[in-house]
Short mmCIF file of all heavy atoms in Angstrom, two decimals:
data_model
loop_
_atom_site.label_atom_id
_atom_site.label_comp_id
_atom_site.label_asym_id
_atom_site.label_seq_id
_atom_site.Cartn_x
_atom_site.Cartn_y
_atom_site.Cartn_z
N SER A 543 36.33 -10.83 91.50
CA SER A 543 35.01 -11.45 91.37
C SER A 543 34.16 -11.19 92.60
O SER A 543 32.96 -10.93 92.50
CB SER A 543 35.14 -12.96 91.14
OG SER A 543 35.87 -13.57 92.19
N SER A 544 34.81 -11.24 93.78
CA SER A 544 34.06 -10.97 95.01
C SER A 544 33.71 -9.50 95.12
O SER A 544 32.69 -9.13 95.71
CB SER A 544 34.87 -11.42 96.23
OG SER A 544 36.09 -10.69 96.31
N ALA A 545 34.55 -8.62 94.53
CA ALA A 545 34.26 -7.19 94.56
C ALA A 545 33.09 -6.86 93.64
O ALA A 545 32.28 -5.97 93.94
CB ALA A 545 35.49 -6.40 94.13
N LEU A 546 32.96 -7.58 92.52
CA LEU A 546 31.91 -7.29 91.54
C LEU A 546 30.63 -8.05 91.80
O LEU A 546 29.55 -7.63 91.37
CB LEU A 546 32.42 -7.60 90.13
CG LEU A 546 33.49 -6.66 89.57
CD1 LEU A 546 33.95 -7.15 88.20
CD2 LEU A 546 32.96 -5.24 89.47
N SER A 547 30.74 -9.18 92.51
CA SER A 547 29.55 -10.01 92.70
C SER A 547 28.45 -9.26 93.42
O SER A 547 27.27 -9.40 93.10
CB SER A 547 29.91 -11.27 93.48
OG SER A 547 30.37 -10.95 94.78
N TYR A 548 28.84 -8.46 94.39
CA TYR A 548 27.82 -7.73 95.14
C TYR A 548 27.19 -6.64 94.28
O TYR A 548 26.01 -6.29 94.44
CB TYR A 548 28.41 -7.13 96.42
CG TYR A 548 28.82 -5.70 96.30
CD1 TYR A 548 28.03 -4.68 96.80
CD2 TYR A 548 30.02 -5.36 95.67
CE1 TYR A 548 28.42 -3.36 96.68
CE2 TYR A 548 30.40 -4.06 95.55
CZ TYR A 548 29.60 -3.06 96.05
OH TYR A 548 29.99 -1.76 95.92
N GLY A 549 27.95 -6.10 93.30
CA GLY A 549 27.39 -5.10 92.41
C GLY A 549 26.27 -5.67 91.56
O GLY A 549 25.25 -5.02 91.32
N LEU A 550 26.44 -6.92 91.11
CA LEU A 550 25.41 -7.56 90.31
C LEU A 550 24.15 -7.83 91.14
O LEU A 550 23.04 -7.85 90.61
CB LEU A 550 25.96 -8.88 89.73
CG LEU A 550 27.14 -8.73 88.76
CD1 LEU A 550 27.65 -10.09 88.34
CD2 LEU A 550 26.73 -7.90 87.54
N GLN A 551 24.34 -8.06 92.44
CA GLN A 551 23.18 -8.29 93.30
C GLN A 551 22.29 -7.07 93.42
O GLN A 551 21.13 -7.16 93.82
CB GLN A 551 23.65 -8.70 94.71
CG GLN A 551 24.35 -10.04 94.76
CD GLN A 551 24.78 -10.38 96.17
OE1 GLN A 551 24.06 -10.12 97.13
NE2 GLN A 551 25.95 -10.96 96.32
N LEU A 552 22.84 -5.91 93.05
CA LEU A 552 22.09 -4.67 93.22
C LEU A 552 20.95 -4.54 92.21
O LEU A 552 20.13 -3.64 92.30
CB LEU A 552 23.02 -3.46 93.08
CG LEU A 552 24.15 -3.47 94.11
CD1 LEU A 552 25.05 -2.28 93.91
CD2 LEU A 552 23.58 -3.48 95.50
N LEU A 553 20.92 -5.43 91.22
CA LEU A 553 19.77 -5.46 90.33
C LEU A 553 18.54 -5.95 91.08
O LEU A 553 17.40 -5.73 90.64
CB LEU A 553 20.06 -6.37 89.13
CG LEU A 553 21.20 -5.90 88.22
CD1 LEU A 553 21.48 -6.94 87.14
CD2 LEU A 553 20.89 -4.55 87.60
N ASN A 554 18.76 -6.62 92.18
CA ASN A 554 17.69 -7.08 93.06
C ASN A 554 17.56 -6.09 94.21
O ASN A 554 18.42 -6.01 95.08
CB ASN A 554 18.01 -8.47 93.58
CG ASN A 554 16.92 -9.04 94.47
OD1 ASN A 554 16.04 -8.31 94.93
ND2 ASN A 554 16.98 -10.33 94.72
N PHE A 555 16.48 -5.30 94.20
CA PHE A 555 16.33 -4.24 95.20
C PHE A 555 16.36 -4.78 96.62
O PHE A 555 16.91 -4.16 97.53
CB PHE A 555 15.03 -3.46 94.98
CG PHE A 555 15.05 -2.59 93.75
CD1 PHE A 555 13.89 -1.98 93.31
CD2 PHE A 555 16.21 -2.38 93.04
CE1 PHE A 555 13.90 -1.18 92.18
CE2 PHE A 555 16.24 -1.59 91.91
CZ PHE A 555 15.07 -0.99 91.47
N SER A 556 15.76 -5.96 96.83
CA SER A 556 15.72 -6.51 98.19
C SER A 556 17.12 -6.82 98.71
O SER A 556 17.38 -6.72 99.91
CB SER A 556 14.85 -7.76 98.24
OG SER A 556 15.44 -8.81 97.51
N ALA A 557 18.04 -7.16 97.78
CA ALA A 557 19.42 -7.46 98.19
C ALA A 557 20.10 -6.22 98.74
O ALA A 557 20.94 -6.30 99.65
CB ALA A 557 20.21 -8.02 97.01
N ILE A 558 19.74 -5.06 98.20
CA ILE A 558 20.34 -3.81 98.68
C ILE A 558 19.86 -3.52 100.10
O ILE A 558 20.66 -3.20 100.98
CB ILE A 558 19.97 -2.64 97.76
CG1 ILE A 558 20.40 -2.93 96.34
CG2 ILE A 558 20.61 -1.34 98.24
CD1 ILE A 558 19.90 -1.92 95.34
N PHE A 559 18.57 -3.63 100.31
CA PHE A 559 18.04 -3.34 101.64
C PHE A 559 18.54 -4.35 102.67
O PHE A 559 18.63 -4.03 103.85
CB PHE A 559 16.51 -3.33 101.60
CG PHE A 559 15.91 -2.12 100.95
CD1 PHE A 559 15.53 -2.15 99.62
CD2 PHE A 559 15.76 -0.95 101.65
CE1 PHE A 559 14.99 -1.04 99.00
CE2 PHE A 559 15.23 0.17 101.05
CZ PHE A 559 14.84 0.13 99.72
N ARG A 560 18.87 -5.57 102.22
CA ARG A 560 19.38 -6.60 103.14
C ARG A 560 20.90 -6.53 103.30
O ARG A 560 21.47 -7.27 104.09
CB ARG A 560 18.98 -7.99 102.65
CG ARG A 560 17.49 -8.28 102.75
CD ARG A 560 17.15 -9.72 102.37
NE ARG A 560 17.29 -9.98 100.93
CZ ARG A 560 18.27 -10.70 100.40
NH1 ARG A 560 19.20 -11.23 101.18
NH2 ARG A 560 18.33 -10.90 99.09
N PHE A 561 21.57 -5.63 102.55
CA PHE A 561 23.03 -5.56 102.54
C PHE A 561 23.60 -6.97 102.32
O PHE A 561 24.55 -7.39 102.97
CB PHE A 561 23.57 -4.98 103.85
CG PHE A 561 23.43 -3.47 103.92
CD1 PHE A 561 22.21 -2.88 104.24
CD2 PHE A 561 24.51 -2.65 103.67
CE1 PHE A 561 22.08 -1.51 104.30
CE2 PHE A 561 24.39 -1.26 103.73
CZ PHE A 561 23.17 -0.68 104.05
N ALA A 562 22.99 -7.70 101.35
CA ALA A 562 23.33 -9.10 101.13
C ALA A 562 24.77 -9.30 100.70
O ALA A 562 25.35 -10.37 100.91
CB ALA A 562 22.38 -9.70 100.08
N ALA A 563 25.37 -8.27 100.09
CA ALA A 563 26.75 -8.40 99.60
C ALA A 563 27.78 -8.33 100.72
O ALA A 563 28.94 -8.67 100.51
CB ALA A 563 27.03 -7.32 98.57
N ILE A 564 27.39 -7.87 101.89
CA ILE A 564 28.32 -7.74 103.01
C ILE A 564 28.32 -9.04 103.79
O ILE A 564 27.33 -9.38 104.45
CB ILE A 564 27.93 -6.55 103.92
CG1 ILE A 564 27.75 -5.28 103.09
CG2 ILE A 564 28.97 -6.35 105.00
CD1 ILE A 564 28.97 -4.88 102.29
N LYS A 565 29.42 -9.76 103.70
CA LYS A 565 29.50 -11.08 104.33
C LYS A 565 30.65 -11.12 105.33
O LYS A 565 31.46 -10.20 105.40
CB LYS A 565 29.70 -12.16 103.27
CG LYS A 565 28.60 -12.18 102.20
CD LYS A 565 28.79 -13.31 101.22
CE LYS A 565 27.76 -13.27 100.10
NZ LYS A 565 26.39 -13.39 100.58
N ASN A 566 30.68 -12.20 106.12
CA ASN A 566 31.74 -12.43 107.11
C ASN A 566 31.82 -11.33 108.15
O ASN A 566 32.90 -10.93 108.58
CB ASN A 566 33.11 -12.58 106.41
CG ASN A 566 33.12 -13.73 105.41
OD1 ASN A 566 32.58 -14.79 105.69
ND2 ASN A 566 33.75 -13.50 104.26
N VAL A 567 30.66 -10.82 108.53
CA VAL A 567 30.58 -9.86 109.64
C VAL A 567 29.53 -10.38 110.62
O VAL A 567 28.65 -11.16 110.23
CB VAL A 567 30.19 -8.44 109.15
CG1 VAL A 567 31.27 -7.86 108.25
CG2 VAL A 567 28.86 -8.43 108.44
N PRO A 568 29.62 -9.97 111.88
CA PRO A 568 28.66 -10.47 112.87
C PRO A 568 27.21 -10.14 112.49
O PRO A 568 26.94 -9.13 111.85
CB PRO A 568 29.07 -9.73 114.15
CG PRO A 568 30.50 -9.37 113.94
CD PRO A 568 30.65 -9.12 112.47
N LYS A 569 26.30 -11.01 112.89
CA LYS A 569 24.88 -10.84 112.56
C LYS A 569 24.33 -9.53 113.10
O LYS A 569 23.52 -8.86 112.46
CB LYS A 569 24.06 -12.01 113.11
CG LYS A 569 22.59 -11.96 112.71
CD LYS A 569 21.84 -13.15 113.26
CE LYS A 569 20.38 -13.13 112.80
NZ LYS A 569 19.67 -11.91 113.25
N LYS A 570 24.80 -9.13 114.28
CA LYS A 570 24.29 -7.89 114.86
C LYS A 570 24.71 -6.68 114.01
O LYS A 570 23.98 -5.68 113.93
CB LYS A 570 24.77 -7.72 116.31
CG LYS A 570 26.26 -7.59 116.50
CD LYS A 570 26.61 -7.47 117.98
CE LYS A 570 28.11 -7.31 118.20
NZ LYS A 570 28.65 -6.08 117.59
N ASP A 571 25.87 -6.78 113.36
CA ASP A 571 26.30 -5.70 112.47
C ASP A 571 25.44 -5.63 111.22
O ASP A 571 25.08 -4.55 110.76
CB ASP A 571 27.77 -5.89 112.08
CG ASP A 571 28.73 -5.57 113.21
OD1 ASP A 571 28.24 -5.28 114.33
OD2 ASP A 571 29.95 -5.62 113.01
N ILE A 572 25.10 -6.80 110.67
CA ILE A 572 24.21 -6.84 109.50
C ILE A 572 22.84 -6.28 109.86
O ILE A 572 22.24 -5.50 109.09
CB ILE A 572 24.07 -8.28 108.96
CG1 ILE A 572 25.37 -8.71 108.29
CG2 ILE A 572 22.92 -8.39 107.97
CD1 ILE A 572 25.68 -7.96 107.01
N ASP A 573 22.34 -6.66 111.03
CA ASP A 573 21.04 -6.14 111.48
C ASP A 573 21.08 -4.63 111.63
O ASP A 573 20.13 -3.93 111.26
CB ASP A 573 20.64 -6.79 112.81
CG ASP A 573 20.31 -8.27 112.67
OD1 ASP A 573 20.01 -8.70 111.54
OD2 ASP A 573 20.36 -8.99 113.69
N ALA A 574 22.20 -4.11 112.15
CA ALA A 574 22.34 -2.66 112.31
C ALA A 574 22.37 -1.97 110.94
O ALA A 574 21.73 -0.94 110.74
CB ALA A 574 23.61 -2.35 113.09
N LEU A 575 23.11 -2.55 109.98
CA LEU A 575 23.18 -1.97 108.64
C LEU A 575 21.80 -1.95 107.99
O LEU A 575 21.42 -0.95 107.35
CB LEU A 575 24.15 -2.78 107.76
CG LEU A 575 25.64 -2.56 108.02
CD1 LEU A 575 26.47 -3.57 107.23
CD2 LEU A 575 26.05 -1.14 107.64
N ARG A 576 21.05 -3.02 108.12
CA ARG A 576 19.72 -3.08 107.53
C ARG A 576 18.79 -2.04 108.15
O ARG A 576 18.00 -1.39 107.45
CB ARG A 576 19.14 -4.48 107.70
CG ARG A 576 19.84 -5.53 106.85
CD ARG A 576 19.35 -6.93 107.17
NE ARG A 576 20.04 -7.93 106.36
CZ ARG A 576 19.92 -9.25 106.53
NH1 ARG A 576 19.12 -9.73 107.49
NH2 ARG A 576 20.58 -10.09 105.76
N SER A 577 18.89 -1.88 109.45
CA SER A 577 18.04 -0.90 110.14
C SER A 577 18.36 0.52 109.68
O SER A 577 17.46 1.28 109.32
CB SER A 577 18.23 -1.01 111.66
OG SER A 577 17.80 -2.25 112.14
N ILE A 578 19.64 0.87 109.69
CA ILE A 578 20.03 2.22 109.28
C ILE A 578 19.71 2.45 107.81
O ILE A 578 19.24 3.53 107.42
CB ILE A 578 21.54 2.46 109.54
CG1 ILE A 578 21.87 2.27 111.02
CG2 ILE A 578 21.94 3.86 109.10
CD1 ILE A 578 23.36 2.29 111.31
N GLY A 579 19.94 1.43 106.96
CA GLY A 579 19.65 1.57 105.54
C GLY A 579 18.19 1.84 105.27
O GLY A 579 17.83 2.71 104.47
N LEU A 580 17.29 1.09 105.92
CA LEU A 580 15.85 1.29 105.74
C LEU A 580 15.41 2.66 106.25
O LEU A 580 14.62 3.36 105.59
CB LEU A 580 15.07 0.19 106.46
CG LEU A 580 13.55 0.27 106.35
CD1 LEU A 580 13.10 0.18 104.89
CD2 LEU A 580 12.89 -0.84 107.18
N ILE A 581 15.92 3.05 107.41
CA ILE A 581 15.60 4.36 107.97
C ILE A 581 16.05 5.47 107.01
O ILE A 581 15.30 6.42 106.74
CB ILE A 581 16.26 4.54 109.35
CG1 ILE A 581 15.59 3.61 110.37
CG2 ILE A 581 16.22 5.98 109.82
CD1 ILE A 581 16.37 3.42 111.64
N TYR A 582 17.26 5.34 106.49
CA TYR A 582 17.81 6.33 105.56
C TYR A 582 16.97 6.43 104.29
O TYR A 582 16.66 7.52 103.81
CB TYR A 582 19.25 5.93 105.23
CG TYR A 582 20.00 6.87 104.32
CD1 TYR A 582 20.26 8.18 104.69
CD2 TYR A 582 20.49 6.42 103.09
CE1 TYR A 582 20.97 9.03 103.86
CE2 TYR A 582 21.21 7.26 102.26
CZ TYR A 582 21.45 8.57 102.65
OH TYR A 582 22.15 9.40 101.82
N PHE A 583 16.58 5.27 103.74
CA PHE A 583 15.77 5.27 102.52
C PHE A 583 14.42 5.94 102.75
O PHE A 583 14.00 6.80 101.96
CB PHE A 583 15.56 3.83 102.02
CG PHE A 583 14.61 3.75 100.86
CD1 PHE A 583 15.05 4.02 99.57
CD2 PHE A 583 13.27 3.42 101.07
CE1 PHE A 583 14.16 3.97 98.49
CE2 PHE A 583 12.39 3.36 100.00
CZ PHE A 583 12.84 3.64 98.71
N LEU A 584 13.72 5.54 103.81
CA LEU A 584 12.39 6.12 104.08
C LEU A 584 12.48 7.62 104.32
O LEU A 584 11.65 8.40 103.83
CB LEU A 584 11.76 5.42 105.29
CG LEU A 584 11.36 3.96 105.09
CD1 LEU A 584 10.89 3.36 106.40
CD2 LEU A 584 10.29 3.84 104.01
#
Side-chain angles (χ1 to χ4, degrees):
S543 58
S544 61
L546 290 176
S547 63
Y548 96 101
L550 297 176
Q551 294 180 39
L552 301 179
L553 296 175
N554 182 345
F555 289 170
S556 67
I558 304 172
F559 286 96
R560 291 185 289 107
F561 283 79
I564 308 303
K565 303 183 184 299
N566 301 319
V567 296
K569 185 179 182 300
K570 63 182 181 63
D571 287 4
I572 288 292
D573 291 339
L575 284 172
R576 290 173 180 172
S577 296
I578 301 171
L580 180 61
I581 290 164
Y582 182 62
F583 173 81
L584 292 174

